[in-house]
Amino acid sequence: MTTTLEPLEPALSVRQVLGLERVLAGEPEVVAGAGQLDRPVRWVHVAEAADVGVMLSGGEMVLTTGVLLAGDEDKQAEYVRSLHRAEAAAVVLGLGRAFPAPPDAMRRAAERCQLPMVVLHRPFPFAELTEEVQSRLVRRKFAAVSLSEAVRTALTGLITAGAPLQRLLDEIAAHSGCPVVVTNLAHRVLATAGERPAVDDVLRDWERIARQAGAGQGDGWIRAELGGRGERWGQVVLCGHRGDTAVGRLLVDRAAEALVLHRMLGGASAGTWEEQSAQSLLTDLLSGVVPARQLLPRARAAGLPVNRRTFVPLVVPAATPGQLDRVLRLLGLPGLVAGLAHGATAVLLSLARDQDARALTAHFAARLRADAACPAAVVAAADARAAWDDVPAGLREAQHVADAVAGFAAALDLPPVVRLRDVHLRGLIRLLRDDPHVQSFAERELDGLLGPADDDLLAVLRTYLATGRNKSRTAQLHHVSRPALYRRLEAIQARLGVDLDDFEQAASVHIALLAHDAQHDAQQR
């Protein structure tokens, strides 16, 4: 639950100070630098000394009667220039005995320096102005400290509770009231938070924004570096923050602290957030809950080429994202990699229109099998998709093929790349596994082998049927002698009351076993 915080008063600008009731009583008139009235006022300083600039640190509104400047235009101009060099917010001159009218030398110098210069036409006690402004500034500074501690406490509490990255970003977005984006050093988007339409607007224009990433922090784009121990690895960005810039700076700094701490305590590797980003995108594509068209900005911002491309959905059972990502890098193929349930990994390749999708898929599978960790890997592939809107269906097709062959690659002696037409009956049964009639059929056919102690016999039956009733291959895969295998097959036939040498009976048992396995896999998901 997001902590409710009192909003900070906005930073006082020169314009806002001039609009205060006490100041209006002095009949203020802006005589120079009218285009700079939105400068923030950090403090108010009353000073008559001609060299006041050396005593300033920037952001001050300087109040003066000019009594020590009267009669010397050079000194008047230098006074203004010294304020400009000290980055003062404005100079306010009370008209009176020293200057009954605005002095031209000061006005011209202020206009050249674009320093707001204000004259007060009526006598005005400077003490009232300093008291009013500085009490407001002190209240705001206290509120800023309170906000900083409240945000830090909320984020630290989430980290301590083991909250995921997304929960931290949601908290930051709630406080900032704008989209929050985390990127890597290549400006690829790793995670976002905020109102979905606003986030989508940001991501839709992310390529331009990324190109301007080093161009400053204007227009509410406030950034903080992410890193530690001398190493930078990303940025957190408040996108279009509409509140006070100082508050935005505070929020983004607290966010950066929390994200670095979250990564350190979680033991995250350099690629973990990239993997999470890809997993979130591919999971959303697979589920179909979010229309593919709405996910296109996220894919583009994540670094996936999407314009005039061909997309190849792949799913590899029993492979890790790291293994597949390594192969992609070796081949120089752009794509997203994400872990799915039960050890499978999805890959979405993005190829140029003139590239041969089938040849590159075969090359990918061959290189994967060359990896010592994946000598028998099987790549379940869907046909290439020319339209982004067709990608979700392609991913589901690849996942269906992977489900149909998962755990049977060795027994089925599958090629490196398997497609929908290769899974035949096994694929059909996977589609029908939730049908009550199919479930009843499977239980009836296998009734003699569904006890807790029958797993070994069931595994032998599974291999025997998957290999086309090849006894030698079955014995080899189960590391048993031929006589031992014969005894087990005899026990299976006795339990089921069937003759596995009879084609129709063997086919019936095979279909029932495929349905049983499909139902079991579905229950495990």
Side-chain angles (χ1 to χ4, degrees):
M1 183 175 180
T2 301
T3 307
T4 302
L5 301 172
E6 291 298 323
L8 283 182
E9 287 188 34
L12 281 177
S13 65
V14 174
R15 189 188 308 277
Q16 290 170 319
V17 171
L18 298 181
L20 296 175
E21 185 175 351
R22 291 186 179 184
V23 179
L24 290 174
E27 297 182 7
E29 178 190 1
V30 180
V31 297
Q36 301 295 317
L37 296 182
D38 292 320
R39 287 182 175 182
V41 176
R42 189 183 61 81
W43 206 244
V44 178
H45 192 70
V46 180
E48 300 293 351
D51 59 350
V52 64
V54 299
M55 295 180 279
L56 305 179
S57 57
E60 295 89 351
M61 174 178 277
V62 177
L63 312 179
T64 182
T65 62
V67 65
L68 300 180
L69 304 175
D72 190 332
E73 292 190 353
D74 289 341
K75 188 179 292 186
Q76 294 166 21
E78 177 55 27
Y79 179 83
V80 171
R81 288 193 291 269
S82 71
L83 294 180
H84 171 66
R85 288 192 296 270
E87 298 182 350
V91 58
V92 178
L93 175 66
L95 299 182
R97 284 180 298 176
F99 292 105
D104 286 339
M106 291 183 70
R107 183 184 57 77
R108 287 194 300 269
E111 196 63 54
R112 282 194 296 270
C113 295
Q114 283 298 289
L115 175 72
M117 178 175 173
V118 181
V119 297
L120 300 174
H121 288 278
R122 295 176 61 84
F124 181 82
F126 285 165
E128 291 187 10
L129 175 57
T130 57
E131 179 184 3
E132 174 78 12
V133 173
Q134 291 176 186
S135 65
R136 288 173 178 257
L137 293 174
V138 168
R139 286 200 304 271
R140 185 179 176 281
K141 186 176 287 291
F142 177 77
V145 172
S146 299
L147 173 64
S148 176
E149 288 307 307
V151 172
R152 178 183 280 122
T153 299
L155 294 177
T156 302
L158 289 173
I159 294 170
T160 303
L165 169 66
Q166 189 60 52
R167 184 66 187 86
L168 268 67
L169 295 181
D170 290 341
E171 183 81 10
I172 296 161
H175 291 313
S176 64
C178 67
V180 178
V181 173
V182 175
T183 76
N184 62 13
L185 291 179
H187 306 299
R188 292 185 176 180
V189 175
L190 305 181
T192 62
E195 294 292 333
R196 195 72 253 168
V199 171
D200 288 343
D201 286 343
V202 168
L203 296 184
R204 202 170 288 117
D205 201 28
W206 187 255
E207 289 183 6
R208 179 186 62 81
I209 293 168
R211 286 196 299 270
Q212 298 175 352
Q217 302 194 131
D219 299 325
W221 292 81
I222 308 176
R223 301 172 174 84
E225 300 293 335
L226 298 175
R229 299 174 182 173
E231 178 186 8
R232 288 175 54 243
W233 38 262
Q235 282 188 333
V236 56
V237 188
L238 302 187
C239 305
H241 180 64
R242 297 305 176 196
D244 176 45
T245 300
V247 175
R249 181 73 260 164
L250 178 151
L251 287 172
V252 82
D253 286 345
R254 296 294 82 78
E257 290 175 4
L259 294 180
V260 170
L261 180 60
H262 180 270
R263 184 156 167 165
M264 289 173 59
L265 293 180
S269 64
T272 297
W273 286 0
E274 286 86 345
E275 292 170 9
Q276 292 176 0
S277 174
Q279 184 174 38
S280 173
L281 177 58
L282 290 184
T283 299
D284 285 346
L285 281 167
L286 263 169
S287 69
V289 173
V290 182
R293 182 59 48 182
Q294 294 183 22
L295 297 172
L296 188 60
R298 281 173 60 188
R300 183 184 291 112
L304 186 74
V306 296
N307 296 329
R308 299 182 60 79
R309 307 291 288 187
T310 297
F311 303 101
V312 183
L314 310 173
V315 174
V316 184
T320 67
Q323 291 166 340
L324 302 192
D325 188 61
R326 184 164 58 250
V327 174
L328 285 185
R329 294 177 187 276
L330 285 172
L331 299 178
L333 294 176
L336 295 177
V337 179
L340 303 177
H342 304 289
T345 300
V347 180
L348 181 61
L349 297 180
S350 174
L351 306 178
R353 292 283 174 86
D354 59 353
Q355 289 181 293
D356 188 332
R358 283 183 172 269
L360 286 174
T361 301
H363 191 30
F364 173 84
R367 181 58 69 93
L368 180 61
R369 284 196 168 186
D371 188 324
C374 307
V378 172
V379 175
D383 291 336
R385 264 55 180 179
W388 175 258
D389 287 345
D390 294 334
V391 168
L395 283 168
R396 287 191 287 273
E397 178 183 317
Q399 187 176 43
H400 168 65
V401 174
D403 286 348
V405 301
F408 296 96
L412 297 173
D413 196 22
L414 293 170
V417 179
V418 181
R419 302 181 185 277
L420 188 60
R421 66 173 178 271
D422 300 318
V423 297
H424 306 296
L425 179 61
R426 190 178 296 273
L428 175 63
I429 294 299
R430 291 274 163 166
L431 292 176
L432 299 176
R433 63 188 172 192
D434 294 327
D435 188 295
H437 297 294
V438 174
Q439 294 175 358
S440 177
F441 168 76
E443 291 174 4
R444 185 169 63 250
E445 289 289 299
L446 299 175
D447 183 55
L449 283 180
L450 296 181
D454 297 327
D455 288 347
D456 182 57
L457 291 179
L458 205 60
V460 170
L461 175 63
R462 185 180 293 113
T463 304
Y464 179 62
L465 295 173
T467 58
R469 295 182 292 173
N470 186 320
K471 294 183 175 66
S472 297
R473 181 65 174 152
T474 302
Q476 179 185 21
L477 290 172
H478 282 271
H479 308 289
V480 297
S481 66
R482 291 282 294 265
L485 175 65
Y486 294 156
R487 288 193 294 273
R488 294 184 188 186
L489 290 176
E490 289 171 359
I492 291 169
Q493 293 180 102
R495 294 277 195 93
L496 298 181
V498 299
D499 179 5
L500 293 179
D501 289 330
D502 181 88
F503 175 78
E504 185 173 337
Q505 293 183 53
S508 181
V509 172
H510 194 186
I511 292 171
L513 185 57
L514 291 175
H516 168 77
D517 289 343
Q519 293 159 15
H520 177 76
D521 289 348
Q523 292 167 1
Q524 296 301 311
R525 294 187 182 280

